[in-house]
Amino acid sequence: MSRPRGDVSADVTVGLFQPEIVVDFDVKAQGRSVRSILPSLGPVELDDAPFSVTGRGGLRGANLQLATFDAKVGEVTIAASGKVDLARGGGSTDFRFDLRVPSLARLGLLKNRRPLQQALAISARLRGDSETVRIDNLVARVGESDVSGSLELQKGDIPKLSLELHSDSLRLAPLLEEGAADYEAAPKFDDGRVIPDIKVPFDAMSKLNVSVMIDVGELQRQALHLTDVTLNAGLQDGALFLYDAGFQAGDGWLSARGALEPADGAGKATLAAKAEGLTFGYFGLGVSPSTRTGFDINLAATGTD
């Protein structure tokens, strides 16, 4: 089928067999204007560009098998393949995804603001069975920042979520061009407190176990420059644990650990933090601040809010 906005060809076979439906498809589409069929994608207003899509695969009951899926919009490319079990509690998923955006600035507008000039790349593999869903080989890069790692969800009466992330370099910088800043009024609380009186949701915390391990070689945001940033934390049986957290800044370092536990219905919080010789200087300017920070803190408190 050919129209002024583009061309589409499709070869689809449908078989209505009990107990499952069978569908095979081979689809191709291309056009000169993506905005003619998709002017926006969520909050993103796309810049106009030619597009093409090809996809080949099949559906066997609740099992989607995607032999190939390739899409291109201007310079942006998306590739995917694999199988996905769409049934609730399905047990045979193995899916790969790859997104490449050479220039976010040429992609479009996000809430009427254009992204700054930098590239974006994301790739991952999703696998699952009746007991576990896992994202392996996650690799993401935005500009000069990179992240890699994995995410796993173990099903059960009390699910367990495990997250592991590694980065050689994180440069925290604005993603969008400068615009008018939106300021929110400071919240007001009926009891006149500056810090709200919030009950710790220990019951909700007991319904999910979580493990988080993060390490970052270099973290930079404007003048702040940290190295060897680590975070090892977990949520277990309703208690929040900070097993280890720390970083280096200049020639100094900080290390901390803590916990927030139900403790027989009366919450118990502990925090131990130690720092020596910390300097928060300007990265790359050779500035050596005259002051260095050091402390050794041990805190303990009880209560439910």
Side-chain angles (χ1 to χ4, degrees), residues 260-285:
L260 180 59
E261 304 172 75
D264 299 324
K268 177 183 177 182
T270 58
L271 175 65
K274 186 174 182 179
E276 291 186 1
L278 287 181
T279 57
F280 299 95
Y282 286 82
F283 175 62
L285 297 183

Side-chain angles (χ1 to χ4, degrees), residues 200-209 235-240 260:
V200 179
F202 287 117
D203 289 341
M205 292 164 60
S206 66
K207 296 178 181 179
L208 176 69
N209 293 329
L235 185 63
Q236 184 70 38
D237 300 329
L240 176 64
L260 180 59

Side-chain angles (χ1 to χ4, degrees), residues 1-44:
M1 180 175 63
S2 180
R3 294 289 187 271
R5 292 183 296 182
D7 303 316
V8 176
S9 65
D11 184 2
V12 180
T13 302
V14 179
L16 300 177
F17 302 107
Q18 294 294 334
E20 64 180 23
I21 186 173
V22 176
V23 178
D24 292 311
F25 60 87
D26 190 343
V27 178
K28 297 179 182 180
Q30 60 181 7
R32 294 183 294 275
S33 172
V34 68
R35 285 182 57 84
S36 65
I37 59 171
L38 189 66
S40 63
L41 191 61
V44 179

Side-chain angles (χ1 to χ4, degrees), residues 49-65:
F51 69 92
S52 64
V53 178
T54 61
R56 180 170 55 85
L59 183 66
R60 299 293 184 270
N63 196 300
L64 173 64
Q65 299 181 359

Side-chain angles (χ1 to χ4, degrees), residues 81-85 92-97 123-128 132-138 151:
S81 64
K83 59 181 180 179
V84 179
D85 195 334
S92 59
T93 293
D94 192 346
F95 188 78
R96 297 176 184 270
F97 172 83
S123 62
R125 181 183 182 185
L126 172 65
R127 295 188 296 169
T132 305
V133 177
R134 182 178 178 88
I135 298 178
D136 282 323
N137 305 325
L138 171 64
L151 176 67

Side-chain angles (χ1 to χ4, degrees), residues 52-287:
S52 64
V53 178
T54 61
R56 180 170 55 85
L59 183 66
R60 299 293 184 270
N63 196 300
L64 173 64
Q65 299 181 359
L66 198 59
T68 61
F69 176 84
D70 294 287
K72 185 174 183 180
V73 179
E75 299 175 324
V76 178
T77 61
I78 302 173
S81 64
K83 59 181 180 179
V84 179
D85 195 334
L86 303 176
R88 185 179 180 85
S92 59
T93 293
D94 192 346
F95 188 78
R96 297 176 184 270
F97 172 83
D98 185 271
L99 169 68
R100 307 283 172 172
V101 184
S103 171
L104 287 171
R106 294 194 291 272
L107 182 62
L109 300 178
L110 176 60
K111 295 183 178 179
N112 297 318
R113 295 170 64 187
R114 187 167 294 278
L116 295 174
Q117 173 62 42
Q118 54 189 335
L120 168 67
I122 302 174
S123 62
R125 181 183 182 185
L126 172 65
R127 295 188 296 169
D129 54 35
S130 59
E131 297 180 353
T132 305
V133 177
R134 182 178 178 88
I135 298 178
D136 282 323
N137 305 325
L138 171 64
V139 178
R141 176 174 287 275
V142 181
E144 298 181 52
S145 298
D146 66 90
V147 174
S148 61
S150 63
L151 176 67
E152 181 179 276
L153 175 63
Q154 296 179 5
K155 306 173 188 178
D157 294 336
I158 301 180
K160 180 178 179 180
L161 183 67
S162 301
L163 174 67
E164 295 185 13
L165 293 178
H166 168 78
S167 173
D168 290 325
S169 175
L170 281 183
R171 305 292 178 92
L172 303 182
L175 290 175
L176 304 174
E177 294 177 342
E178 291 186 4
D182 295 328
Y183 295 98
E184 296 184 2
K188 296 181 180 180
F189 306 103
D190 295 337
D191 58 6
R193 299 187 185 199
V194 176
I195 300 175
D197 186 4
I198 300 175
K199 187 175 181 178
V200 179
F202 287 117
D203 289 341
M205 292 164 60
S206 66
K207 296 178 181 179
L208 176 69
N209 293 329
V210 179
S211 171
V212 176
M213 297 184 66
I214 299 174
D215 70 273
V216 180
E218 178 184 75
L219 174 65
Q220 183 181 352
R221 185 181 186 276
Q222 297 178 345
L224 180 66
H225 180 223
L226 307 178
T227 59
D228 299 327
V229 180
T230 60
L231 172 64
N232 182 2
L235 185 63
Q236 184 70 38
D237 300 329
L240 176 64
F241 296 99
L242 178 62
Y243 300 115
D244 178 59
F247 59 80
Q248 291 189 346
D251 294 327
W253 54 268
L254 179 146
S255 179
R257 65 183 186 277
L260 180 59
E261 304 172 75
D264 299 324
K268 177 183 177 182
T270 58
L271 175 65
K274 186 174 182 179
E276 291 186 1
L278 287 181
T279 57
F280 299 95
Y282 286 82
F283 175 62
L285 297 183
V287 177

